[in-house]
Amino acid sequence: IRFPMYNDNFAALATFTLLVAGERFGRKDVFAAGMDKLRQLRDVLTRRGAIMEYGSPTYTPITTHILAEIANYVQDAEAKKLAGQCETRMWAEIAAHYHPPTGQFAGPYSRAYLVDSVGHPHNIHGLLHLAFGDLAVNPAEDLFPPRPEQVLHVGLESLMLPNLAWLYSGNVHCPDDVARLLLEKRFPFDAILTT
């Protein structure tokens, strides 16, 4: 599992696991494998400007959250710094896609589902609500209980609620200048990247 493949969220989870386990159990080889993956991500973001799962209301928040957790829990200074830089870049991507008047993602995206395509509450709303409180859509208002005919991703209890609970369990770090772009964007707005 590496970053230049399609499932960036899996590569991010593998990176977190390798870095934390490597430190916890004193396994320099395991930690080094995690650093290799983190550098792969840096290289992808430097070369392309976005991950393969770019602008995904489902997966972009997962990868962003994992990078924040690396910065929060890994002790190594280089790993913390690099994870923080990658998290900042992910927040820039979120800011580029976020449409404040509707509280939804806009523009092209990769790897989304019906719940995202129709703009119903999902992972991105949980991450944004964690970071910005009531300035963002509160997914709990629409999920406890779901409204009639609301689109849910693979069922409420099996995926959506566990994902949102996990997203709310951490601390994220959106820089002030990126937060201003995200919340106070002027239109028209253009973002250019390659994938």
Side-chain angles (χ1 to χ4, degrees):
I1 300 174
R2 54 190 176 79
F3 276 101
M5 63 182 272
Y6 203 70
N7 292 72
D8 299 294
N9 68 102
F10 288 169
L13 288 163
T15 302
F16 175 84
T17 302
L18 290 165
L19 292 171
V20 171
E23 279 190 342
R24 173 67 178 91
F25 298 110
R27 291 284 307 271
K28 292 181 180 181
D29 57 330
V30 171
F31 186 84
M35 286 301 295
D36 286 345
K37 289 185 186 310
L38 198 51
R39 290 183 190 109
Q40 286 173 357
L41 175 59
R42 175 202 57 206
D43 294 346
V44 167
L45 292 173
T46 300
R47 185 172 62 251
R48 296 183 178 148
I51 59 174
M52 295 296 290
E53 295 173 321
Y54 66 91
S56 169
T58 298
Y59 295 110
T60 298
I62 291 173
T63 299
T64 304
H65 182 271
I66 294 165
L67 291 165
E69 294 293 81
I70 292 171
N72 290 337
Y73 291 107
V74 174
Q75 301 301 307
D76 180 81
E78 181 186 359
K80 286 176 95 61
K81 180 179 178 182
L82 188 51
Q85 291 169 337
C86 290
E87 180 193 1
T88 294
R89 182 60 193 83
M90 294 298 296
W91 276 108
E93 180 181 331
I94 291 169
H97 282 86
Y98 188 65
H99 184 251
T102 61
Q104 303 294 330
F105 262 19
Y109 56 80
S110 171
R111 294 212 69 210
Y113 299 90
L114 181 59
V115 63
D116 304 311
S117 298
V118 298
H120 289 197
H122 201 203
N123 288 347
I124 191 61
H125 301 101
L127 184 74
L128 291 170
H129 190 256
L130 169 67
F132 303 109
D134 289 335
L135 295 175
V137 171
N138 180 350
E141 290 178 359
D142 288 313
L143 294 173
F144 298 100
R147 296 177 183 185
E149 299 183 26
Q150 181 173 340
V151 175
L152 303 173
H153 181 61
V154 192
L156 183 62
E157 291 81 14
S158 61
L159 188 61
M160 285 183 70
L161 291 182
N163 270 347
L164 288 169
W166 174 67
L167 287 169
Y168 275 101
S169 72
N171 290 315
V172 294
H173 323 94
C174 183
D176 291 343
D177 57 338
V178 178
R180 280 191 297 278
L181 173 64
L182 189 147
L183 297 169
E184 302 168 13
K185 185 181 291 123
R186 295 177 185 253
F187 298 102
F189 180 82
D190 293 317
I192 300 170
L193 54 91
T194 61
T195 63

